[in-house]
Amino acid sequence: MVSTPLAIASGCQYLPESGADRSPNQFLMPLTAKVNDRDHLEIGGCDVADLVQQFGSPLYVLDEETLRTACRQYRDAFKRYYPGESQVLYASKAWNCLAVCAIVASEGLGIDVVSGGELYTALKAGVDPTRLYLHGNNKSLEELQLAIESGCTIVVDNWLELQTLADWEPSDSPIRIMLRLTPGIECHTHEYIRTGHLDSKFGFDPNQVDDILKRVSQQAGLEFVGLHAHIGSQIFELQPHQDLGSVMVQWLRKAAEYHLKIQELNIGGGLGIRYTESDDPPSIDEWVKVVCDSVAAACQSENIPLPKLLSEPGRSLIGSACITAYRVGGQKTVPGIRTYISVDGGMSDNPRPITYQSIYRALVANRMSAPIVSQATIAGKHCESGDILIKDAALPETRSGDILVIMSTGAYNYSMSSNYNRLPRPAAVLVNAGEANIILQRETYADLIQHDRLPERLK
Ligand code: LLP
């Protein structure tokens, strides 16, 4: 995608190009996005302005076709490039809710969960527990209990957890565990979302590989399934994942020295997506090929059988499948400095700009071909000066009541949303072939106080 000069560009510049091999993570908008004859943005066959009219704003609009396409591209690419068995897991921290879990599971993906809440949701969505993997650097006993009872695999993160599981009341079937190791691989991404470098809170230190494998080999109640590593998120380089494959295969060889049967190797997620025209992530296909080639080649040179290869992408599966639609409110121009355009959401539905200084793109969904004429800063409605969704966004003339859309909001937006300032969380609709179904009900004021308790003496 090329950026068009300000004076002639319009919201249409962000529309995805057509073509069969479109990797959703390389586009700012869902694959079904187009402009209809009312000059409105349409996603999944639904007019976004009509959706806002019907379901209110802010509104997350999730395109089923884009999500399913990304699932299939991952799944098919692993089949194409990996000579052994493979399983793609959806890292549901990106967006965990019943409908999303059900969709990815129906595409044959398993799910990575990182809390009892995510696990509970996936189970309630009907996901096969043998395809669920529980992560976390400080799992509670209740979370471990739920994982063990439901039969999902536990990705053990540290010594305490290993001991806790080794001491667990024996049951008919052994507890399936994987070990998470810190690979010591650096990658270029925001420091908060880097996890593979040595100074990380996650996983066992690689210097302890021998000790940990030895300990695991002595635990009869635990079924050692394999090894896991994840190096970080929103990564555009392929080299770190290529390196990761060979590092992990070295560990597999070590596991064999302790007579541990290796079934699975999980190389994590991390493929980035396009948030702006200058972002240039590799396609899903390219990423999968690098990972598969690297693991297969390392296994061949180490002369060890191919493990089942697991991966757990989150952002690149769902990030570009969703947009957030807001209603424009008032505007304020500070002469010689900037114009602020306020919208009816903000850091509570998208905390990424204030947390990671993430940059997004916006358009006006009810005047798609209007030329971009100015820059304006899109401000959220929270009582916090830093609640700015986009600084100096390129926009057409924008009026109160317009539908402003921010793109690529599928990953880590709803899942990191909050009720800051007691704003009810927005609704989410799933769109497909002209149909729109609510998948997350808009929260009400009553929802906001449902867990509040007023002690008698305060009444
Ligand atoms: N596996 C593990 C163990 C992870 O920690 C993560 C992400 C993933 C898989 C999925 O990574 P992905 O494919 O989505 O890059 N809230 C941050 C992102 C945090 C990522 C945490 N871990 C953000 O909004 O950018």
Side-chain angles (χ1 to χ4, degrees):
M1 195 183 297
V2 280
S3 73
T4 328
L6 257 189
I8 55 158
S10 68
C12 298
Q13 72 179 301
Y14 301 118
L15 292 174
E17 295 143 24
S18 53
D21 303 328
R22 300 175 302 168
S23 187
N25 70 316
Q26 296 182 314
F27 296 98
L28 280 152
M29 276 216 253
L31 298 178
T32 61
K34 54 183 185 204
V35 179
N36 64 19
D37 49 18
R38 291 160 75 198
D39 198 28
H40 286 186
L41 174 63
E42 198 177 280
I43 295 177
C46 298
D47 184 314
V48 173
D50 289 348
L51 291 174
V52 168
Q53 188 69 31
Q54 189 181 351
F55 300 106
S57 58
L59 184 68
Y60 297 113
V61 180
L62 176 63
D63 182 43
E64 188 169 346
E65 189 176 319
T66 305
L67 176 56
R68 287 190 185 275
T69 301
C71 291
R72 286 174 202 158
Q73 287 186 0
Y74 264 108
R75 202 189 55 199
D76 295 349
F78 271 99
K79 286 211 181 94
R80 192 161 43 247
Y81 298 122
Y82 192 62
E85 253 190 287
S86 59
Q87 174 68 59
V88 180
L89 311 175
Y90 164 59
S92 69
K93 70 208 79 183
W95 184 341
N96 182 292
C97 67
L98 291 175
V100 169
C101 288
I103 292 171
V104 299
S106 74
E107 291 295 338
L109 273 62
I111 297 189
D112 137 18
V113 294
V114 294
S115 68
E118 287 189 356
L119 173 55
Y120 178 82
T121 309
L123 290 169
K124 285 284 175 195
V127 181
D128 174 359
T130 64
R131 289 191 175 174
L132 290 175
Y133 290 73
L134 176 66
H135 284 277
N137 62 308
N138 193 18
K139 304 174 186 80
S140 69
L141 292 178
E142 291 75 16
E143 289 172 325
L144 291 172
Q145 175 90 37
L146 181 60
I148 292 166
E149 273 170 16
S150 58
C152 85
T153 304
I154 298 171
V155 185
V156 178
D157 204 89
N158 53 58
W159 287 102
L160 174 67
E161 190 182 335
L162 184 61
Q163 193 57 50
T164 306
L165 292 173
D167 295 342
W168 206 267
E169 188 76 26
S171 67
D172 300 343
S173 44
I175 302 169
R176 276 171 54 95
I177 62 156
M178 297 187 81
L179 298 175
R180 177 169 182 169
L181 290 156
T182 315
I185 291 176
E186 302 280 340
C187 55
H188 297 110
T189 189
H190 194 285
E191 67 171 304
Y192 290 3
I193 55 179
R194 250 187 273 151
T195 51
H197 53 305
L198 289 176
D199 182 7
S200 162
K201 70 171 183 169
F202 297 107
F204 289 94
D205 190 284
N207 296 319
Q208 298 180 331
V209 170
D210 280 289
D211 296 345
I212 175 91
L213 291 172
K214 188 169 169 203
R215 175 79 71 87
V216 170
S217 69
Q218 294 159 351
Q219 306 300 332
L222 302 178
E223 180 188 353
F224 174 68
V225 177
L227 298 172
H228 169 278
H230 170 77
I231 55 179
S233 195
Q234 185 60 358
I235 301 170
F236 289 175
E237 310 146 282
L238 290 169
Q239 191 64 43
H241 280 95
Q242 180 162 346
D243 297 345
L244 179 63
S246 44
V247 169
M248 293 188 81
V249 171
Q250 301 292 331
W251 295 335
L252 285 189
R253 192 176 45 75
K254 256 193 186 308
E257 287 168 19
Y258 291 92
H259 307 290
L260 287 164
K261 193 166 159 273
I262 302 133
Q263 303 169 44
E264 299 179 359
L265 186 69
N266 186 335
I267 43 87
L271 172 61
I273 68 166
R274 171 168 270 161
Y275 287 102
T276 70
E277 316 77 79
S278 53
D279 289 337
D280 192 14
S283 67
I284 291 174
D285 193 84
E286 286 170 299
W287 187 87
V288 173
K289 185 172 187 324
V290 161
V291 162
C292 293
D293 288 353
S294 147
V295 171
C299 286
Q300 193 174 22
S301 73
E302 294 293 333
N303 197 22
I304 55 173
L306 287 175
K308 179 170 176 178
L309 185 54
L310 272 55
S311 60
E312 47 191 26
R315 193 191 310 267
S316 51
L317 277 169
I318 201 162
S320 60
C322 180
I323 57 101
T324 308
Y326 304 90
R327 274 265 187 217
V328 172
Q331 304 197 10
K332 170 186 175 179
T333 300
V334 187
I337 302 187
R338 75 183 81 249
T339 295
Y340 289 93
I341 294 181
S342 293
V343 295
D344 53 1
M347 60 186 283
S348 57
D349 61 77
N350 183 0
R352 299 193 70 258
I354 201 167
T355 313
Y356 314 112
Q357 302 74 49
S358 308
I359 300 174
Y360 284 86
R361 290 291 184 249
L363 52 80
V364 173
N366 52 304
R367 252 175 298 113
M368 284 294 285
S369 51
I372 287 173
V373 289
S374 60
Q375 289 195 330
T377 288
I378 301 172
K381 64 175 283 164
H382 292 274
C383 290
E384 178 130 347
S385 299
D387 177 28
I388 298 297
L389 288 171
I390 307 179
K391 202 171 166 204
D392 299 332
L395 286 173
E397 193 198 332
T398 306
R399 306 166 199 146
S400 160
D402 277 344
I403 312 293
L404 187 127
V405 156
I406 296 193
M407 292 161 274
S408 311
T409 56
Y412 306 108
N413 275 228
Y414 166 72
S415 63
M416 289 174 56
S417 64
S418 74
N419 290 123
Y420 184 44
N421 295 154
R422 286 236 140 164
L423 258 67
R425 280 189 181 75
V429 285
L430 181 71
V431 290
N432 192 359
E435 204 181 295
N437 299 111
I438 283 277
I439 56 169
L440 290 164
Q441 200 79 256
R442 183 175 304 283
E443 288 179 352
T444 62
Y445 292 147
D447 290 333
L448 293 175
I449 60 162
Q450 75 168 316
H451 298 295
D452 286 22
R453 297 293 176 266
L454 196 55
E456 262 324 300
R457 64 188 176 79
L458 297 181
K459 285 181 184 163

